Amino acid sequence: MKAVVLAAGEGTRLRPLTEDKPKGMVEVNDKPILTHCFDNLVELGAEEFIVVVGYLKEEIIDHYGDEYRGVPITYAHQREQKGLAHALLTVEEHIDDDFMLILGDNVFDANLEDVVRRQQEDRTDAAFLVEEVPWDEASRYGVCDTNKYGEITDVVEKPEDPPSNLVMTGFYTFTSAIFPACHLVQPSNRGEYEISEAIDLLIQSGRTIDAIGLDGWRVDVGYPEDRDEAERRLQEDEEKPVATAASND
């Protein structure tokens, strides 16, 4: 399965960390955020990375070149940052099957493999990791409603009055059906082409989209304090004792 990595953003909220680099190159625990993303995707068996670049793209291209840990990298250029659905359309020509999508400003230690496994069951048109957040933080994200089967029934992007506190994280799987939906998306009140609207169009057309509950943690690195939080969590993970098999003696 190919993996699309969205890394075109300028990261204005992360300044001064992004004054001379794109936000995907901001270091967390001595590694760029993108390196953490790539490592996750390698473990998931990604056969190719398609990285959407934009702001200071040369920093990313020069650092990673044409492969990472043996996985080839293709770059797609988003000339204007007009939202995630707009970014996704820049890779349409490179995708002809199910694929993974990760936002290049998220750090995960979570059950991403459960999302991929659900997609591979061929009973769903999309799946993504969701988590419950404090109600006062939900308006930062795409907010979801689900039915009793765990299927997504509605998605609203950054609502002022969230209908729930269940939000999309930055990891998804899709079939290529997402691309026609992205073409139909109209600019939101924020002037962006939102991935949540494309997902909602899939739902309205009768497609099945599954929510997989987060097991573990993730940090959306939107502000400098988020970077510090992601670094703290990674260091805590490193300090955890490694489980050893019980002795037979």
Side-chain angles (χ1 to χ4, degrees):
M1 191 180 291
K2 294 181 179 180
V4 175
V5 184
L6 301 187
E10 186 172 345
T12 54
R13 297 174 300 175
L14 266 173
R15 288 178 180 162
L17 299 177
T18 52
E19 286 181 348
D20 60 352
K21 64 183 69 174
K23 62 180 175 178
M25 295 303 294
V26 170
E27 292 197 349
V28 176
N29 209 25
D30 299 323
K31 295 179 182 179
I33 298 171
L34 281 176
T35 295
H36 294 289
C37 292
F38 290 166
D39 284 339
N40 285 143
L41 295 168
V42 169
E43 297 304 316
L44 293 169
E47 61 188 37
E48 180 182 357
F49 298 143
I50 304 170
V51 183
V52 180
V53 294
Y55 175 70
L56 296 178
K57 64 182 186 296
E58 295 82 7
E59 296 283 330
I60 296 172
I61 296 170
D62 291 347
H63 184 86
Y64 293 104
D66 59 7
E67 70 170 6
Y68 178 80
R69 289 179 60 184
V71 179
I73 301 175
T74 298
Y75 296 97
H77 186 198
Q78 186 186 20
R79 298 185 181 279
E80 296 180 87
Q81 282 70 65
K82 293 184 177 181
L84 300 187
H86 180 266
L88 196 50
L89 286 175
T90 67
V91 308
E92 183 176 12
E93 65 181 293
H94 303 287
I95 301 292
D96 55 10
D97 206 344
D98 292 8
F99 66 98
M100 297 177 274
L101 172 67
I102 194 168
L103 306 189
D105 56 2
N106 278 231
V107 180
F108 286 95
D109 183 6
N111 54 322
L112 307 183
E113 67 279 0
D114 290 342
V115 182
V116 175
R117 192 176 300 117
R118 181 65 56 85
Q119 188 74 33
Q120 291 172 334
E121 291 173 357
D122 290 333
R123 61 167 294 278
T124 186
D125 293 282
F128 45 84
L129 209 57
V130 298
E131 69 170 324
E132 290 188 9
V133 300
W135 279 90
D136 59 351
E137 295 181 12
S139 60
R140 289 178 56 182
Y141 307 104
V143 178
C144 309
D145 273 340
T146 60
N147 61 21
K148 63 181 180 180
Y149 304 109
E151 298 169 349
I152 303 290
T153 58
D154 190 27
V155 179
V156 185
E157 185 67 28
K158 298 180 179 178
E160 292 185 7
D161 185 18
S164 81
N165 66 333
L166 188 68
V167 305
M168 295 189 291
T169 69
F171 185 74
Y172 317 73
T173 55
F174 291 106
T175 68
S176 55
I178 190 63
F179 295 112
C182 286
H183 279 290
L184 294 174
V185 169
Q186 298 299 308
S188 67
N189 292 335
R190 302 189 306 140
E192 295 192 356
Y193 296 83
E194 311 283 6
I195 190 71
S196 55
E197 185 180 342
I199 293 168
D200 208 37
L201 288 169
L202 289 181
I203 295 168
Q204 292 176 33
S205 69
R207 306 275 182 166
T208 299
I209 300 178
D210 283 348
I212 309 296
L214 178 76
D215 182 9
W217 61 264
R218 70 103 187 202
V219 175
D220 174 10
V221 184
Y223 296 89
E225 57 266 30
D226 297 326
R227 174 203 170 276
D228 297 340
E229 172 68 8
E231 188 158 282
R232 181 186 67 79
R233 293 199 179 202
L234 287 170
Q235 290 172 355
E236 284 182 353
D237 284 353
E238 290 176 354
E239 293 168 1
K240 289 178 181 176
V242 178
T244 57
S247 171
N248 292 324
D249 296 336

PDB file of all heavy atoms in Angstrom, residues 27 31 86 95 103 126 146 150 181 213 215 234:
ATOM      1  N   GLU A  27      12.201  19.609  14.684  1.00  0.00           N
ATOM      2  CA  GLU A  27      12.691  18.414  15.366  1.00  0.00           C
ATOM      3  C   GLU A  27      11.941  18.152  16.664  1.00  0.00           C
ATOM      4  O   GLU A  27      11.659  19.068  17.434  1.00  0.00           O
ATOM      5  CB  GLU A  27      14.192  18.532  15.634  1.00  0.00           C
ATOM      6  CG  GLU A  27      15.030  18.488  14.371  1.00  0.00           C
ATOM      7  CD  GLU A  27      16.495  18.195  14.638  1.00  0.00           C
ATOM      8  OE1 GLU A  27      16.905  18.231  15.823  1.00  0.00           O
ATOM      9  OE2 GLU A  27      17.224  17.927  13.671  1.00  0.00           O
ATOM     10  N   LYS A  31      14.736  14.408  16.038  1.00  0.00           N
ATOM     11  CA  LYS A  31      14.402  13.952  14.692  1.00  0.00           C
ATOM     12  C   LYS A  31      13.291  14.844  14.139  1.00  0.00           C
ATOM     13  O   LYS A  31      12.377  15.215  14.875  1.00  0.00           O
ATOM     14  CB  LYS A  31      13.907  12.502  14.682  1.00  0.00           C
ATOM     15  CG  LYS A  31      14.921  11.464  15.088  1.00  0.00           C
ATOM     16  CD  LYS A  31      14.275  10.084  15.048  1.00  0.00           C
ATOM     17  CE  LYS A  31      15.228   8.990  15.503  1.00  0.00           C
ATOM     18  NZ  LYS A  31      14.563   7.662  15.486  1.00  0.00           N
ATOM     19  N   HIS A  86      -7.478  19.786  -1.159  1.00  0.00           N
ATOM     20  CA  HIS A  86      -6.698  20.368  -2.253  1.00  0.00           C
ATOM     21  C   HIS A  86      -5.325  19.705  -2.338  1.00  0.00           C
ATOM     22  O   HIS A  86      -4.841  19.363  -3.429  1.00  0.00           O
ATOM     23  CB  HIS A  86      -6.565  21.881  -2.025  1.00  0.00           C
ATOM     24  CG  HIS A  86      -5.789  22.608  -3.083  1.00  0.00           C
ATOM     25  ND1 HIS A  86      -4.437  22.864  -2.959  1.00  0.00           N
ATOM     26  CD2 HIS A  86      -6.169  23.135  -4.266  1.00  0.00           C
ATOM     27  CE1 HIS A  86      -4.023  23.527  -4.026  1.00  0.00           C
ATOM     28  NE2 HIS A  86      -5.058  23.701  -4.839  1.00  0.00           N
ATOM     29  N   ILE A  95      -1.893   7.508  -7.545  1.00  0.00           N
ATOM     30  CA  ILE A  95      -2.628   6.534  -6.741  1.00  0.00           C
ATOM     31  C   ILE A  95      -3.656   5.800  -7.603  1.00  0.00           C
ATOM     32  O   ILE A  95      -4.436   6.427  -8.308  1.00  0.00           O
ATOM     33  CB  ILE A  95      -3.367   7.223  -5.576  1.00  0.00           C
ATOM     34  CG1 ILE A  95      -2.378   7.969  -4.666  1.00  0.00           C
ATOM     35  CG2 ILE A  95      -4.191   6.222  -4.790  1.00  0.00           C
ATOM     36  CD1 ILE A  95      -1.454   7.060  -3.893  1.00  0.00           C
ATOM     37  N   LEU A 103      -0.835  12.950   8.196  1.00  0.00           N
ATOM     38  CA  LEU A 103      -0.513  14.367   8.235  1.00  0.00           C
ATOM     39  C   LEU A 103       0.887  14.530   8.805  1.00  0.00           C
ATOM     40  O   LEU A 103       1.192  14.028   9.893  1.00  0.00           O
ATOM     41  CB  LEU A 103      -1.528  15.133   9.089  1.00  0.00           C
ATOM     42  CG  LEU A 103      -3.001  14.958   8.717  1.00  0.00           C
ATOM     43  CD1 LEU A 103      -3.856  15.950   9.503  1.00  0.00           C
ATOM     44  CD2 LEU A 103      -3.223  15.144   7.217  1.00  0.00           C
ATOM     45  N   ALA A 126     -13.116   3.678   3.540  1.00  0.00           N
ATOM     46  CA  ALA A 126     -12.142   4.501   4.248  1.00  0.00           C
ATOM     47  C   ALA A 126     -12.175   4.106   5.710  1.00  0.00           C
ATOM     48  O   ALA A 126     -13.176   3.593   6.210  1.00  0.00           O
ATOM     49  CB  ALA A 126     -12.446   5.994   4.089  1.00  0.00           C
ATOM     50  N   THR A 146     -20.677   8.864  15.097  1.00  0.00           N
ATOM     51  CA  THR A 146     -20.657   7.476  14.651  1.00  0.00           C
ATOM     52  C   THR A 146     -21.963   6.796  15.014  1.00  0.00           C
ATOM     53  O   THR A 146     -22.700   7.259  15.898  1.00  0.00           O
ATOM     54  CB  THR A 146     -19.499   6.690  15.303  1.00  0.00           C
ATOM     55  OG1 THR A 146     -19.664   6.706  16.724  1.00  0.00           O
ATOM     56  CG2 THR A 146     -18.152   7.291  14.940  1.00  0.00           C
ATOM     57  N   GLY A 150     -19.857   1.657  14.808  1.00  0.00           N
ATOM     58  CA  GLY A 150     -18.548   2.288  14.707  1.00  0.00           C
ATOM     59  C   GLY A 150     -18.278   2.901  13.350  1.00  0.00           C
ATOM     60  O   GLY A 150     -17.121   3.210  13.022  1.00  0.00           O
ATOM     61  N   ALA A 181     -14.513  12.725  -4.817  1.00  0.00           N
ATOM     62  CA  ALA A 181     -15.130  13.516  -3.751  1.00  0.00           C
ATOM     63  C   ALA A 181     -14.368  14.817  -3.528  1.00  0.00           C
ATOM     64  O   ALA A 181     -14.974  15.886  -3.355  1.00  0.00           O
ATOM     65  CB  ALA A 181     -15.193  12.704  -2.457  1.00  0.00           C
ATOM     66  N   GLY A 213     -10.838   3.425  17.217  1.00  0.00           N
ATOM     67  CA  GLY A 213     -10.471   4.178  18.408  1.00  0.00           C
ATOM     68  C   GLY A 213      -8.971   4.158  18.667  1.00  0.00           C
ATOM     69  O   GLY A 213      -8.303   3.124  18.488  1.00  0.00           O
ATOM     70  N   ASP A 215      -5.616   3.756  20.393  1.00  0.00           N
ATOM     71  CA  ASP A 215      -5.013   3.008  21.493  1.00  0.00           C
ATOM     72  C   ASP A 215      -3.548   3.419  21.534  1.00  0.00           C
ATOM     73  O   ASP A 215      -2.760   3.001  20.696  1.00  0.00           O
ATOM     74  CB  ASP A 215      -5.155   1.504  21.267  1.00  0.00           C
ATOM     75  CG  ASP A 215      -4.576   0.684  22.412  1.00  0.00           C
ATOM     76  OD1 ASP A 215      -4.219   1.270  23.445  1.00  0.00           O
ATOM     77  OD2 ASP A 215      -4.454  -0.550  22.250  1.00  0.00           O
ATOM     78  N   LEU A 234       7.653  10.932  23.839  1.00  0.00           N
ATOM     79  CA  LEU A 234       8.625  10.036  23.219  1.00  0.00           C
ATOM     80  C   LEU A 234       9.716   9.647  24.207  1.00  0.00           C
ATOM     81  O   LEU A 234      10.149   8.487  24.256  1.00  0.00           O
ATOM     82  CB  LEU A 234       9.245  10.704  21.984  1.00  0.00           C
ATOM     83  CG  LEU A 234       8.333  10.807  20.758  1.00  0.00           C
ATOM     84  CD1 LEU A 234       8.975  11.701  19.705  1.00  0.00           C
ATOM     85  CD2 LEU A 234       8.049   9.430  20.162  1.00  0.00           C
TER      86      LEU A 234
END
